[in-house]
PDB file of all heavy atoms in Angstrom:
ATOM      1  N   MET A   1      87.470  86.432  55.229  1.00 54.00           N
ATOM      2  CA  MET A   1      87.563  85.720  56.480  1.00 54.00           C
ATOM      3  C   MET A   1      88.347  86.542  57.502  1.00 54.00           C
ATOM      4  O   MET A   1      89.406  87.017  57.239  1.00 54.00           O
ATOM      5  CB  MET A   1      88.329  84.382  56.209  1.00 54.00           C
ATOM      6  CG  MET A   1      88.382  83.501  57.418  1.00 54.00           C
ATOM      7  SD  MET A   1      86.722  82.953  57.902  1.00 54.00           S
ATOM      8  CE  MET A   1      87.021  82.505  59.580  1.00 54.00           C
ATOM      9  N   ASN A   5      88.978  85.285  63.792  1.00 84.00           N
ATOM     10  CA  ASN A   5      88.070  84.114  63.834  1.00 84.00           C
ATOM     11  C   ASN A   5      88.842  82.826  63.543  1.00 84.00           C
ATOM     12  O   ASN A   5      88.553  81.791  64.169  1.00 84.00           O
ATOM     13  CB  ASN A   5      86.957  84.285  62.847  1.00 84.00           C
ATOM     14  CG  ASN A   5      85.850  85.187  63.380  1.00 84.00           C
ATOM     15  OD1 ASN A   5      85.924  85.599  64.557  1.00 84.00           O
ATOM     16  ND2 ASN A   5      84.876  85.498  62.565  1.00 84.00           N
ATOM     17  N   ARG A   8      90.490  81.722  66.442  1.00 87.00           N
ATOM     18  CA  ARG A   8      89.520  81.176  67.388  1.00 87.00           C
ATOM     19  C   ARG A   8      89.145  79.725  66.986  1.00 87.00           C
ATOM     20  O   ARG A   8      89.093  78.864  67.845  1.00 87.00           O
ATOM     21  CB  ARG A   8      88.273  82.078  67.394  1.00 87.00           C
ATOM     22  CG  ARG A   8      87.270  81.774  68.462  1.00 87.00           C
ATOM     23  CD  ARG A   8      86.083  82.662  68.323  1.00 87.00           C
ATOM     24  NE  ARG A   8      86.433  84.037  68.453  1.00 87.00           N
ATOM     25  CZ  ARG A   8      86.350  84.717  69.619  1.00 87.00           C
ATOM     26  NH1 ARG A   8      85.881  84.127  70.715  1.00 87.00           N
ATOM     27  NH2 ARG A   8      86.696  85.966  69.682  1.00 87.00           N
ATOM     28  N   ARG A  12      89.892  76.501  69.249  1.00 88.00           N
ATOM     29  CA  ARG A  12      88.841  75.578  69.756  1.00 88.00           C
ATOM     30  C   ARG A  12      89.120  74.165  69.297  1.00 88.00           C
ATOM     31  O   ARG A  12      88.909  73.213  70.081  1.00 88.00           O
ATOM     32  CB  ARG A  12      87.492  76.042  69.226  1.00 88.00           C
ATOM     33  CG  ARG A  12      86.984  77.273  69.953  1.00 88.00           C
ATOM     34  CD  ARG A  12      85.604  77.726  69.439  1.00 88.00           C
ATOM     35  NE  ARG A  12      85.155  78.877  70.153  1.00 88.00           N
ATOM     36  CZ  ARG A  12      84.027  79.514  69.868  1.00 88.00           C
ATOM     37  NH1 ARG A  12      83.261  79.066  68.853  1.00 88.00           N
ATOM     38  NH2 ARG A  12      83.658  80.581  70.530  1.00 88.00           N
ATOM     39  N   ARG A  16      89.741  70.880  71.792  1.00 86.00           N
ATOM     40  CA  ARG A  16      88.995  69.654  71.693  1.00 86.00           C
ATOM     41  C   ARG A  16      89.886  68.425  71.814  1.00 86.00           C
ATOM     42  O   ARG A  16      89.443  67.310  72.061  1.00 86.00           O
ATOM     43  CB  ARG A  16      88.120  69.602  70.442  1.00 86.00           C
ATOM     44  CG  ARG A  16      86.774  70.225  70.659  1.00 86.00           C
ATOM     45  CD  ARG A  16      85.906  69.914  69.490  1.00 86.00           C
ATOM     46  NE  ARG A  16      86.255  70.683  68.312  1.00 86.00           N
ATOM     47  CZ  ARG A  16      86.427  70.132  67.117  1.00 86.00           C
ATOM     48  NH1 ARG A  16      86.262  68.852  66.934  1.00 86.00           N
ATOM     49  NH2 ARG A  16      86.751  70.921  66.090  1.00 86.00           N
ATOM     50  N   ASN A  17      91.157  68.605  71.453  1.00 85.00           N
ATOM     51  CA  ASN A  17      92.079  67.489  71.447  1.00 85.00           C
ATOM     52  C   ASN A  17      93.344  67.852  72.217  1.00 85.00           C
ATOM     53  O   ASN A  17      94.456  67.785  71.689  1.00 85.00           O
ATOM     54  CB  ASN A  17      92.459  67.128  70.008  1.00 85.00           C
ATOM     55  CG  ASN A  17      91.290  66.484  69.315  1.00 85.00           C
ATOM     56  OD1 ASN A  17      90.886  65.378  69.699  1.00 85.00           O
ATOM     57  ND2 ASN A  17      90.752  67.147  68.287  1.00 85.00           N
ATOM     58  N   GLU A 315      84.508  66.451  59.820  1.00 90.00           N
ATOM     59  CA  GLU A 315      84.442  67.778  60.377  1.00 90.00           C
ATOM     60  C   GLU A 315      84.765  68.857  59.253  1.00 90.00           C
ATOM     61  O   GLU A 315      84.098  69.861  59.163  1.00 90.00           O
ATOM     62  CB  GLU A 315      85.510  67.909  61.462  1.00 90.00           C
ATOM     63  CG  GLU A 315      85.704  69.374  61.995  1.00 90.00           C
ATOM     64  CD  GLU A 315      86.919  69.569  62.866  1.00 90.00           C
ATOM     65  OE1 GLU A 315      87.321  68.589  63.553  1.00 90.00           O
ATOM     66  OE2 GLU A 315      87.505  70.650  62.849  1.00 90.00           O
ATOM     67  N   LEU A 318      81.777  69.149  57.069  1.00 93.00           N
ATOM     68  CA  LEU A 318      80.729  70.004  57.752  1.00 93.00           C
ATOM     69  C   LEU A 318      81.101  71.466  57.654  1.00 93.00           C
ATOM     70  O   LEU A 318      80.289  72.318  57.287  1.00 93.00           O
ATOM     71  CB  LEU A 318      80.598  69.552  59.187  1.00 93.00           C
ATOM     72  CG  LEU A 318      79.725  70.571  59.953  1.00 93.00           C
ATOM     73  CD1 LEU A 318      78.274  70.379  59.605  1.00 93.00           C
ATOM     74  CD2 LEU A 318      79.982  70.525  61.454  1.00 93.00           C
ATOM     75  N   ARG A 319      82.353  71.769  57.989  1.00 94.00           N
ATOM     76  CA  ARG A 319      82.805  73.180  57.954  1.00 94.00           C
ATOM     77  C   ARG A 319      82.568  73.752  56.545  1.00 94.00           C
ATOM     78  O   ARG A 319      82.106  74.876  56.400  1.00 94.00           O
ATOM     79  CB  ARG A 319      84.267  73.300  58.320  1.00 94.00           C
ATOM     80  CG  ARG A 319      84.502  73.078  59.838  1.00 94.00           C
ATOM     81  CD  ARG A 319      85.958  73.194  60.160  1.00 94.00           C
ATOM     82  NE  ARG A 319      86.198  72.869  61.564  1.00 94.00           N
ATOM     83  CZ  ARG A 319      86.060  73.705  62.568  1.00 94.00           C
ATOM     84  NH1 ARG A 319      85.654  74.959  62.356  1.00 94.00           N
ATOM     85  NH2 ARG A 319      86.300  73.324  63.828  1.00 94.00           N
ATOM     86  N   MET A 320      82.871  72.955  55.530  1.00 94.00           N
ATOM     87  CA  MET A 320      82.701  73.455  54.165  1.00 94.00           C
ATOM     88  C   MET A 320      81.218  73.635  53.875  1.00 94.00           C
ATOM     89  O   MET A 320      80.818  74.593  53.201  1.00 94.00           O
ATOM     90  CB  MET A 320      83.336  72.467  53.178  1.00 94.00           C
ATOM     91  CG  MET A 320      84.820  72.556  53.189  1.00 94.00           C
ATOM     92  SD  MET A 320      85.552  71.361  52.049  1.00 94.00           S
ATOM     93  CE  MET A 320      87.138  72.160  51.723  1.00 94.00           C
ATOM     94  N   ILE A 322      78.921  74.506  55.774  1.00 94.00           N
ATOM     95  CA  ILE A 322      78.340  75.706  56.349  1.00 94.00           C
ATOM     96  C   ILE A 322      79.108  76.961  55.959  1.00 94.00           C
ATOM     97  O   ILE A 322      78.977  78.028  56.553  1.00 94.00           O
ATOM     98  CB  ILE A 322      78.257  75.615  57.894  1.00 94.00           C
ATOM     99  CG1 ILE A 322      79.611  75.398  58.456  1.00 94.00           C
ATOM    100  CG2 ILE A 322      77.266  74.579  58.317  1.00 94.00           C
ATOM    101  CD1 ILE A 322      79.664  75.554  59.985  1.00 94.00           C
ATOM    102  N   GLY A 323      79.958  76.865  54.955  1.00 92.00           N
ATOM    103  CA  GLY A 323      80.541  78.056  54.359  1.00 92.00           C
ATOM    104  C   GLY A 323      81.987  78.285  54.463  1.00 92.00           C
ATOM    105  O   GLY A 323      82.495  79.332  54.107  1.00 92.00           O
ATOM    106  N   SER A 397      92.176  71.106  52.517  1.00 91.00           N
ATOM    107  CA  SER A 397      91.486  72.197  51.856  1.00 91.00           C
ATOM    108  C   SER A 397      90.975  71.823  50.467  1.00 91.00           C
ATOM    109  O   SER A 397      90.072  72.470  49.954  1.00 91.00           O
ATOM    110  CB  SER A 397      92.392  73.423  51.751  1.00 91.00           C
ATOM    111  OG  SER A 397      93.366  73.189  50.746  1.00 91.00           O
ATOM    112  N   LEU A 399      89.573  68.936  49.726  1.00 89.00           N
ATOM    113  CA  LEU A 399      88.524  67.949  49.824  1.00 89.00           C
ATOM    114  C   LEU A 399      87.233  68.456  49.190  1.00 89.00           C
ATOM    115  O   LEU A 399      86.934  69.637  49.211  1.00 89.00           O
ATOM    116  CB  LEU A 399      88.295  67.543  51.278  1.00 89.00           C
ATOM    117  CG  LEU A 399      89.308  66.712  51.963  1.00 89.00           C
ATOM    118  CD1 LEU A 399      88.997  66.566  53.446  1.00 89.00           C
ATOM    119  CD2 LEU A 399      89.388  65.321  51.318  1.00 89.00           C
ATOM    120  N   ILE A 402      81.030  67.185  49.760  1.00 90.00           N
ATOM    121  CA  ILE A 402      80.089  66.037  49.869  1.00 90.00           C
ATOM    122  C   ILE A 402      80.847  64.771  50.234  1.00 90.00           C
ATOM    123  O   ILE A 402      80.453  64.030  51.116  1.00 90.00           O
ATOM    124  CB  ILE A 402      79.336  65.831  48.537  1.00 90.00           C
ATOM    125  CG1 ILE A 402      78.504  67.096  48.249  1.00 90.00           C
ATOM    126  CG2 ILE A 402      78.438  64.622  48.642  1.00 90.00           C
ATOM    127  CD1 ILE A 402      77.890  67.075  46.893  1.00 90.00           C
ATOM    128  N   LEU A 405      81.875  64.828  53.759  1.00 89.00           N
ATOM    129  CA  LEU A 405      80.753  64.592  54.682  1.00 89.00           C
ATOM    130  C   LEU A 405      80.396  63.118  54.722  1.00 89.00           C
ATOM    131  O   LEU A 405      79.977  62.583  55.756  1.00 89.00           O
ATOM    132  CB  LEU A 405      79.528  65.382  54.231  1.00 89.00           C
ATOM    133  CG  LEU A 405      79.345  66.766  54.776  1.00 89.00           C
ATOM    134  CD1 LEU A 405      78.183  67.442  54.103  1.00 89.00           C
ATOM    135  CD2 LEU A 405      79.151  66.713  56.289  1.00 89.00           C
TER     136      LEU A 405
ATOM    137  N   ASP B  59      77.240  70.869  45.547  1.00 91.00           N
ATOM    138  CA  ASP B  59      77.622  70.111  44.334  1.00 91.00           C
ATOM    139  C   ASP B  59      77.196  70.915  43.125  1.00 91.00           C
ATOM    140  O   ASP B  59      76.297  71.789  43.212  1.00 91.00           O
ATOM    141  CB  ASP B  59      76.878  68.769  44.395  1.00 91.00           C
ATOM    142  CG  ASP B  59      77.483  67.748  43.437  1.00 91.00           C
ATOM    143  OD1 ASP B  59      78.544  68.014  42.837  1.00 91.00           O
ATOM    144  OD2 ASP B  59      76.856  66.704  43.235  1.00 91.00           O
ATOM    145  N   ARG B  78      84.421  78.103  43.518  1.00 91.00           N
ATOM    146  CA  ARG B  78      84.335  77.325  44.770  1.00 91.00           C
ATOM    147  C   ARG B  78      84.120  78.264  45.994  1.00 91.00           C
ATOM    148  O   ARG B  78      83.337  77.972  46.884  1.00 91.00           O
ATOM    149  CB  ARG B  78      85.613  76.562  44.976  1.00 91.00           C
ATOM    150  CG  ARG B  78      85.514  75.054  44.968  1.00 91.00           C
ATOM    151  CD  ARG B  78      86.866  74.413  44.953  1.00 91.00           C
ATOM    152  NE  ARG B  78      87.357  74.068  46.296  1.00 91.00           N
ATOM    153  CZ  ARG B  78      87.221  72.842  46.854  1.00 91.00           C
ATOM    154  NH1 ARG B  78      86.640  71.850  46.179  1.00 91.00           N
ATOM    155  NH2 ARG B  78      87.642  72.573  48.044  1.00 91.00           N
ATOM    156  N   ALA B  82      80.952  78.752  48.541  1.00 93.00           N
ATOM    157  CA  ALA B  82      81.118  78.689  50.011  1.00 93.00           C
ATOM    158  C   ALA B  82      80.429  79.853  50.674  1.00 93.00           C
ATOM    159  O   ALA B  82      79.750  79.712  51.687  1.00 93.00           O
ATOM    160  CB  ALA B  82      82.580  78.661  50.380  1.00 93.00           C
ATOM    161  N   ARG B  85      76.648  79.245  50.599  1.00 94.00           N
ATOM    162  CA  ARG B  85      76.249  78.259  51.606  1.00 94.00           C
ATOM    163  C   ARG B  85      76.287  78.900  52.988  1.00 94.00           C
ATOM    164  O   ARG B  85      75.453  78.593  53.821  1.00 94.00           O
ATOM    165  CB  ARG B  85      77.299  77.098  51.622  1.00 94.00           C
ATOM    166  CG  ARG B  85      77.259  76.184  50.460  1.00 94.00           C
ATOM    167  CD  ARG B  85      77.952  74.845  50.764  1.00 94.00           C
ATOM    168  NE  ARG B  85      79.403  74.952  50.966  1.00 94.00           N
ATOM    169  CZ  ARG B  85      80.306  74.907  49.997  1.00 94.00           C
ATOM    170  NH1 ARG B  85      79.903  74.734  48.754  1.00 94.00           N
ATOM    171  NH2 ARG B  85      81.598  74.978  50.290  1.00 94.00           N
ATOM    172  N   ASN B  86      77.202  79.777  53.162  1.00 94.00           N
ATOM    173  CA  ASN B  86      77.335  80.422  54.468  1.00 94.00           C
ATOM    174  C   ASN B  86      76.182  81.397  54.721  1.00 94.00           C
ATOM    175  O   ASN B  86      75.678  81.455  55.829  1.00 94.00           O
ATOM    176  CB  ASN B  86      78.666  81.150  54.557  1.00 94.00           C
ATOM    177  CG  ASN B  86      78.917  81.688  55.963  1.00 94.00           C
ATOM    178  OD1 ASN B  86      79.052  82.883  56.112  1.00 94.00           O
ATOM    179  ND2 ASN B  86      79.007  80.830  56.902  1.00 94.00           N
ATOM    180  N   PHE B  93      71.257  67.912  58.321  1.00 92.00           N
ATOM    181  CA  PHE B  93      71.548  66.553  57.859  1.00 92.00           C
ATOM    182  C   PHE B  93      70.864  65.507  58.703  1.00 92.00           C
ATOM    183  O   PHE B  93      70.479  65.680  59.854  1.00 92.00           O
ATOM    184  CB  PHE B  93      73.080  66.308  57.944  1.00 92.00           C
ATOM    185  CG  PHE B  93      73.921  67.341  57.225  1.00 92.00           C
ATOM    186  CD1 PHE B  93      74.360  68.456  57.872  1.00 92.00           C
ATOM    187  CD2 PHE B  93      74.264  67.157  55.915  1.00 92.00           C
ATOM    188  CE1 PHE B  93      75.117  69.406  57.246  1.00 92.00           C
ATOM    189  CE2 PHE B  93      75.025  68.085  55.254  1.00 92.00           C
ATOM    190  CZ  PHE B  93      75.453  69.235  55.924  1.00 92.00           C
ATOM    191  N   ASN B  97      75.578  65.856  62.303  1.00 92.00           N
ATOM    192  CA  ASN B  97      76.857  66.447  61.991  1.00 92.00           C
ATOM    193  C   ASN B  97      77.237  67.610  62.898  1.00 92.00           C
ATOM    194  O   ASN B  97      77.653  68.668  62.429  1.00 92.00           O
ATOM    195  CB  ASN B  97      76.937  66.929  60.559  1.00 92.00           C
ATOM    196  CG  ASN B  97      77.061  65.717  59.607  1.00 92.00           C
ATOM    197  OD1 ASN B  97      77.407  64.618  60.013  1.00 92.00           O
ATOM    198  ND2 ASN B  97      76.748  65.968  58.351  1.00 92.00           N
ATOM    199  N   LEU B  99      79.853  69.134  65.725  1.00 92.00           N
ATOM    200  CA  LEU B  99      81.226  68.923  66.104  1.00 92.00           C
ATOM    201  C   LEU B  99      81.270  68.257  67.534  1.00 92.00           C
ATOM    202  O   LEU B  99      80.678  68.746  68.446  1.00 92.00           O
ATOM    203  CB  LEU B  99      82.026  70.232  66.209  1.00 92.00           C
ATOM    204  CG  LEU B  99      82.411  70.892  64.905  1.00 92.00           C
ATOM    205  CD1 LEU B  99      83.304  72.076  65.169  1.00 92.00           C
ATOM    206  CD2 LEU B  99      83.108  69.927  63.955  1.00 92.00           C
ATOM    207  N   PRO B 100      81.969  67.125  67.605  1.00 89.00           N
ATOM    208  CA  PRO B 100      82.059  66.464  68.922  1.00 89.00           C
ATOM    209  C   PRO B 100      82.813  67.323  69.912  1.00 89.00           C
ATOM    210  O   PRO B 100      83.611  68.178  69.532  1.00 89.00           O
ATOM    211  CB  PRO B 100      82.800  65.164  68.599  1.00 89.00           C
ATOM    212  CG  PRO B 100      83.555  65.452  67.371  1.00 89.00           C
ATOM    213  CD  PRO B 100      82.756  66.448  66.625  1.00 89.00           C
ATOM    214  N   ARG B 101      82.615  67.104  71.184  1.00 89.00           N
ATOM    215  CA  ARG B 101      83.290  67.750  72.257  1.00 89.00           C
ATOM    216  C   ARG B 101      83.234  69.296  72.102  1.00 89.00           C
ATOM    217  O   ARG B 101      84.218  69.991  72.414  1.00 89.00           O
ATOM    218  CB  ARG B 101      84.789  67.293  72.337  1.00 89.00           C
ATOM    219  CG  ARG B 101      84.984  65.971  73.080  1.00 89.00           C
ATOM    220  CD  ARG B 101      86.288  65.367  72.777  1.00 89.00           C
ATOM    221  NE  ARG B 101      86.239  64.732  71.427  1.00 89.00           N
ATOM    222  CZ  ARG B 101      87.252  64.550  70.628  1.00 89.00           C
ATOM    223  NH1 ARG B 101      88.450  64.916  71.016  1.00 89.00           N
ATOM    224  NH2 ARG B 101      87.089  63.958  69.471  1.00 89.00           N
ATOM    225  N   THR B 102      82.129  69.766  71.583  1.00 92.00           N
ATOM    226  CA  THR B 102      81.986  71.210  71.386  1.00 92.00           C
ATOM    227  C   THR B 102      80.580  71.555  71.848  1.00 92.00           C
ATOM    228  O   THR B 102      79.625  70.861  71.493  1.00 92.00           O
ATOM    229  CB  THR B 102      82.158  71.526  69.881  1.00 92.00           C
ATOM    230  OG1 THR B 102      83.415  71.058  69.463  1.00 92.00           O
ATOM    231  CG2 THR B 102      82.054  73.014  69.628  1.00 92.00           C
ATOM    232  N   GLU B 106      78.704  76.709  70.861  1.00 94.00           N
ATOM    233  CA  GLU B 106      79.807  76.870  69.910  1.00 94.00           C
ATOM    234  C   GLU B 106      79.518  76.218  68.586  1.00 94.00           C
ATOM    235  O   GLU B 106      79.929  76.700  67.544  1.00 94.00           O
ATOM    236  CB  GLU B 106      81.123  76.291  70.500  1.00 94.00           C
ATOM    237  CG  GLU B 106      81.723  77.216  71.554  1.00 94.00           C
ATOM    238  CD  GLU B 106      83.101  76.768  72.053  1.00 94.00           C
ATOM    239  OE1 GLU B 106      83.684  75.823  71.443  1.00 94.00           O
ATOM    240  OE2 GLU B 106      83.543  77.306  73.077  1.00 94.00           O
ATOM    241  N   GLU B 109      77.459  78.691  66.792  1.00 94.00           N
ATOM    242  CA  GLU B 109      78.237  79.880  66.421  1.00 94.00           C
ATOM    243  C   GLU B 109      79.065  79.630  65.124  1.00 94.00           C
ATOM    244  O   GLU B 109      79.488  80.535  64.422  1.00 94.00           O
ATOM    245  CB  GLU B 109      79.238  80.244  67.498  1.00 94.00           C
ATOM    246  CG  GLU B 109      78.630  81.063  68.616  1.00 94.00           C
ATOM    247  CD  GLU B 109      79.670  81.549  69.578  1.00 94.00           C
ATOM    248  OE1 GLU B 109      80.827  80.987  69.579  1.00 94.00           O
ATOM    249  OE2 GLU B 109      79.409  82.502  70.387  1.00 94.00           O
ATOM    250  N   LEU B 113      81.410  82.204  62.433  1.00 92.00           N
ATOM    251  CA  LEU B 113      82.851  82.360  62.457  1.00 92.00           C
ATOM    252  C   LEU B 113      83.361  82.458  61.007  1.00 92.00           C
ATOM    253  O   LEU B 113      84.426  83.017  60.816  1.00 92.00           O
ATOM    254  CB  LEU B 113      83.540  81.183  63.146  1.00 92.00           C
ATOM    255  CG  LEU B 113      83.454  81.162  64.685  1.00 92.00           C
ATOM    256  CD1 LEU B 113      83.984  79.876  65.226  1.00 92.00           C
ATOM    257  CD2 LEU B 113      84.223  82.335  65.221  1.00 92.00           C
ATOM    258  N   TYR B 114      82.631  81.933  60.077  1.00 92.00           N
ATOM    259  CA  TYR B 114      83.066  82.017  58.667  1.00 92.00           C
ATOM    260  C   TYR B 114      82.434  83.227  57.956  1.00 92.00           C
ATOM    261  O   TYR B 114      82.496  83.291  56.742  1.00 92.00           O
ATOM    262  CB  TYR B 114      82.818  80.712  57.949  1.00 92.00           C
ATOM    263  CG  TYR B 114      83.662  79.567  58.439  1.00 92.00           C
ATOM    264  CD1 TYR B 114      83.116  78.595  59.285  1.00 92.00           C
ATOM    265  CD2 TYR B 114      84.963  79.475  58.129  1.00 92.00           C
ATOM    266  CE1 TYR B 114      83.917  77.571  59.790  1.00 92.00           C
ATOM    267  CE2 TYR B 114      85.790  78.456  58.611  1.00 92.00           C
ATOM    268  CZ  TYR B 114      85.225  77.517  59.439  1.00 92.00           C
ATOM    269  OH  TYR B 114      85.988  76.493  59.914  1.00 92.00           O
ATOM    270  N   ARG B 123      77.711  87.601  67.253  1.00 94.00           N
ATOM    271  CA  ARG B 123      77.737  86.181  67.020  1.00 94.00           C
ATOM    272  C   ARG B 123      77.135  85.466  68.245  1.00 94.00           C
ATOM    273  O   ARG B 123      76.262  84.588  68.105  1.00 94.00           O
ATOM    274  CB  ARG B 123      79.175  85.706  66.820  1.00 94.00           C
ATOM    275  CG  ARG B 123      79.316  84.245  66.626  1.00 94.00           C
ATOM    276  CD  ARG B 123      80.721  83.839  66.270  1.00 94.00           C
ATOM    277  NE  ARG B 123      81.642  84.136  67.367  1.00 94.00           N
ATOM    278  CZ  ARG B 123      82.757  84.833  67.245  1.00 94.00           C
ATOM    279  NH1 ARG B 123      83.129  85.327  66.057  1.00 94.00           N
ATOM    280  NH2 ARG B 123      83.509  85.062  68.289  1.00 94.00           N
TER     281      ARG B 123
END
Side-chain angles (χ1 to χ4, degrees):
Chain A
M1 186 66 201
N5 280 353
R8 188 183 299 265
R12 284 180 181 176
R16 269 192 287 132
N17 288 295
E315 173 192 330
L318 170 76
R319 287 180 186 277
M320 286 179 156
I322 58 169
S397 74
L399 286 173
I402 298 172
L405 269 174
Chain B
D59 195 10
R78 244 170 96 96
R85 290 199 292 272
N86 186 243
F93 305 90
N97 287 343
L99 286 186
R101 277 160 285 153
T102 303
E106 283 186 12
E109 279 187 343
L113 284 172
Y114 292 104
R123 179 174 65 232

